[in-house]
């Protein structure tokens, strides 16, 4: 079964979500959870599901992503027909870049044709979740269907609700309609006992059926920004498209039913902060389903007394990655990526600091996201004066201050 499925991971565009964090990288490469990149969750799902023939379609500001794949995911054996291969536009049929997700698949049809796989699993690289894809493939084959769409139950708008399509299914789990998610829609639309069903960016195609659609739908003949709404939705009116419900007990991953596509700065922030709860909504500690990533060979994180004050460095209910040092400062309810420095007297609260951030002496940060390698000057205050913050930085609807390199410079 594993060698019978080819994986196409869509990481070719900026992706809907926290735009200020994708100024220098594609969404799939945005840091998450103190040590990961967002794409790590999708790739870890493939790894643990035994699906190891993976093409990652890249285009938009792809250097950071391709470097991460090289450094962290060169783990498969090509002699066993295993691979994770970045795939920028090859321009085999024209001189055009990828015009959208379906066009990206079209431009690589020759790789689909020459693959020995019977199924093609198309995955969005911009969401955080854990799933056993092997069970999805098994259910797809057992049902002898041509297209299977993974859906999840949702109660309506909120962090992680995202931009994915809503679906209606009949008693046989056949999808009868798809529509855009509306912000005001909630579970009462479908009734108390029938929560809304939403796509997740996971689509399994019979290879022959997919190649047929690539032939039938000409480039530019249809909108091409969303696989579900632009490509699959019209097919629900002419052929059987089935739903596979996320979070089923079948499969080896614990059914925590967590999924978030980080569709805004606030959703991204809340998803990270949720990892600090006593019982986080996504289980990163399942021993047989670890999330693989690249980790630099940094020394252990530590706290030391401040050179001037002599006060001990302190961190409370926080994540502290390798190479980080708190020198007499304080970190509370925050996530620090590798090689972060917090100097004497500095206080970091409810914040996310990317790799290499240095917080100067006496600086105060509250409810901030600070981009990679930024140096916060001594005694700076960010997150305390909303008017001043909005004049200097990007501030989300809920007041999260994003300190980006372009603004700071």
């Amino acid at each position: 079964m594993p060698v019978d499925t080819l994986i196409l991971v869509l990481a070719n565009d900026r992706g809907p979500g926290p735009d200020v964090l994708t100024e220098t990288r594609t969404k799939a490469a945005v840091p998450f959870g103190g040590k990961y990149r967002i794409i790590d969750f999708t790739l870890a799902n493939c790894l643990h599901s035994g699906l190891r023939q993976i093409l990652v379609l890249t285009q938009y500001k792809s250097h950071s992503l391709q470097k991460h794949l090289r450094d962290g995911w060169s783990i498969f054996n090509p002699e066993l027909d295993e691979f994770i291969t970045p795939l920028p536009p090859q321009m085999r049929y024209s001189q055009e870049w990828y015009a959208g997700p379906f066009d990206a698949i079209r431009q690589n049809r020759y790789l689909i044709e020459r693959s020995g796989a019977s199924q093609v699993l198309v995955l969005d690289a911009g969401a955080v979740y854990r799933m056993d894809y092997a069970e999805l493939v098994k259910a797809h084959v057992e049902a002898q269907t041509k297209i299977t769409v993974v859906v999840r139950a949702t109660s309506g708008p909120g962090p992680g609700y995202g931009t994915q399509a809503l679906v209606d299914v009949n008693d046989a789990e056949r999808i009868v309609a798809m529509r855009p998610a509306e912000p005001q829609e909630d579970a009462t639309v479908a009734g108390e006992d029938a929560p809304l069903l939403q796509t997740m960016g996971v689509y399994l195609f019979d290879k022959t059926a997919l190649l047929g659609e690539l032939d039938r739908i000409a480039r530019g003949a249809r909108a091409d920004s969303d696989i579900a709404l632009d490509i699959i939705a019209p097919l629900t009116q002419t052929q059987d498209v089935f739903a596979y419900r996320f979070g089923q007990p079948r499969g080896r991953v614990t059914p925590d039913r967590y999924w978030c596509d980080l569709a805004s700065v606030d959703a991204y922030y809340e998803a990270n902060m949720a990892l600090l709860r006593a019982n986080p909504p996504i289980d990163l500690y399942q021993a047989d389903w670890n999330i693989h990533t690249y980790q630099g060979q940094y020394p252990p994180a530590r706290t030391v007394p401040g050179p001037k004050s002599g006060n001990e460095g302190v961190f409370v209910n926080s994540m502290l990655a390798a190479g980080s040092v708190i020198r007499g400062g304080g970190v509370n309810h925050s996530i620090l990526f590798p090689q972060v420095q917090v100097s004497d007297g500095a206080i970091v609260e409810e914040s996310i600091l990317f790799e290499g951030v240095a917080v100067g002496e006496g600086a105060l940060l509250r409810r901030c996201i600070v981009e990679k390698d930024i140096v916060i000057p001594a005694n700076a205050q960010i997150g305390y004066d909303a008017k001043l913050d909005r004049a200097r930085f990007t501030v989300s609807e809920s007041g999260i201050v994003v300190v980006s390199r372009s603004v700071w410079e």
Side-chain angles (χ1 to χ4, degrees):
M1 189 71 68
V3 297
D4 209 28
T5 305
L6 176 68
I7 312 296
L8 300 180
V9 179
L10 299 176
N12 54 294
D13 60 14
R14 188 169 186 170
D19 288 349
V20 67
L21 300 181
T22 56
E23 290 178 345
T24 60
R25 60 174 79 86
T26 184
K27 183 180 178 183
V30 170
F32 183 85
K35 62 182 289 186
Y36 309 107
R37 302 293 185 105
I38 293 173
I39 196 174
D40 290 333
F41 290 82
T42 297
L43 296 180
N45 289 338
C46 295
L47 171 66
H48 295 303
S49 299
L51 305 179
R52 302 186 179 187
Q53 297 183 343
I54 304 169
L55 300 174
V56 182
L57 280 56
T58 66
Q59 181 166 278
Y60 172 81
K61 296 186 178 180
S62 60
H63 173 71
S64 178
L65 174 60
Q66 293 187 178
K67 182 177 181 296
H68 179 69
L69 295 176
R70 179 199 69 195
D71 296 344
W73 284 96
S74 297
I75 60 175
F76 290 170
N77 188 344
E79 294 185 2
L80 299 178
D81 207 18
E82 302 174 346
F83 54 84
I84 295 180
T85 303
L87 196 61
Q90 301 298 293
M91 301 183 181
R92 293 177 63 93
Y93 307 113
S94 70
Q95 297 300 304
E96 303 291 337
W97 295 91
Y98 295 149
F102 193 67
D103 184 61
I105 297 171
R106 176 190 290 107
Q107 289 201 37
N108 293 291
R109 68 167 297 145
Y110 78 102
L111 292 174
I112 300 173
E113 289 174 330
R114 78 180 192 181
S115 167
S118 299
Q119 293 84 228
V120 179
L121 180 58
V122 178
L123 303 171
D124 179 358
V128 172
Y129 64 102
R130 301 178 315 136
M131 179 179 177
D132 190 344
Y133 299 140
E135 288 298 322
L136 164 65
V137 174
K138 183 178 179 181
H140 176 87
V141 172
E142 289 174 350
Q144 297 183 328
T145 183
K146 301 298 182 184
I147 305 174
T148 300
V149 177
V150 178
V151 300
R152 70 183 189 103
T154 177
S155 59
Y161 185 70
T163 58
Q164 300 288 333
L166 298 176
V167 304
D168 297 323
V169 301
N170 63 18
D171 292 340
E173 295 293 273
R174 179 183 180 274
I175 296 176
V176 296
M178 286 184 171
R179 62 191 187 280
E182 299 294 339
Q184 70 276 13
E185 196 160 10
D186 57 36
T188 60
V189 175
E192 184 177 350
D193 298 325
L196 295 169
L197 295 177
Q198 188 177 33
T199 61
M200 294 174 46
V202 180
Y203 315 104
L204 185 57
F205 295 87
D206 174 85
K207 185 175 82 170
T208 302
L210 177 59
L211 291 173
E213 292 305 317
L214 293 175
D215 289 335
R216 190 177 67 83
I217 305 174
R219 187 179 195 268
R222 185 179 294 176
D224 188 7
S225 61
D226 185 282
I227 290 284
L229 292 174
D230 298 330
I231 305 302
I232 298 179
L235 299 180
T236 63
Q237 306 307 305
T238 60
Q239 58 184 281
D240 290 341
V241 177
F242 286 94
Y244 178 90
R245 300 200 181 218
F246 174 62
Q248 297 185 26
R250 62 186 289 177
R252 293 172 295 115
V253 67
T254 56
D256 53 35
R257 298 180 177 85
Y258 178 89
W259 177 91
C260 182
D261 75 348
L262 314 171
S264 66
V265 168
D266 287 333
Y268 173 84
Y269 177 83
E270 291 299 332
N272 276 274
M273 290 296 105
L275 300 176
L276 301 177
R277 297 177 190 170
N279 295 300
I282 181 171
D283 179 10
L284 298 181
Y285 299 91
Q286 183 177 332
D288 63 348
W289 207 276
N290 63 300
I291 307 302
H292 185 83
T293 191
Y294 168 72
Q295 298 186 78
Q297 297 302 307
Y298 306 125
R302 64 180 301 205
T303 62
V304 298
K308 293 181 179 179
S309 68
N311 293 332
E312 292 289 341
V314 176
F315 75 102
V316 178
N317 190 31
S318 299
M319 290 181 173
L320 193 62
S324 294
V325 180
I326 304 174
R327 291 186 173 86
V331 176
N332 177 43
H333 200 74
S334 295
I335 296 176
L336 276 56
F337 282 80
Q339 293 190 299
V340 170
Q341 305 286 317
V342 180
S343 297
D344 203 352
I347 301 296
V348 178
E349 295 186 295
E350 299 181 310
S351 295
I352 302 168
L353 308 187
F354 286 0
E355 184 174 351
V357 169
V359 183
E361 292 184 3
L364 303 178
L365 303 181
R366 183 172 63 188
R367 288 172 57 82
C368 296
I369 301 172
V370 183
E371 263 286 5
K372 181 179 178 180
D373 294 332
I374 285 178
V375 176
I376 304 296
N379 301 312
Q381 294 189 15
I382 305 175
Y384 290 83
D385 186 325
K387 184 177 180 180
L388 182 59
D389 289 335
R390 292 184 185 280
R392 297 184 296 171
F393 310 114
T394 298
V395 181
S396 74
E397 291 184 5
S398 69
I400 306 304
V401 182
V402 182
V403 183
S404 64
R405 278 175 283 183
S406 61
V407 175
W408 193 259
E409 294 168 355

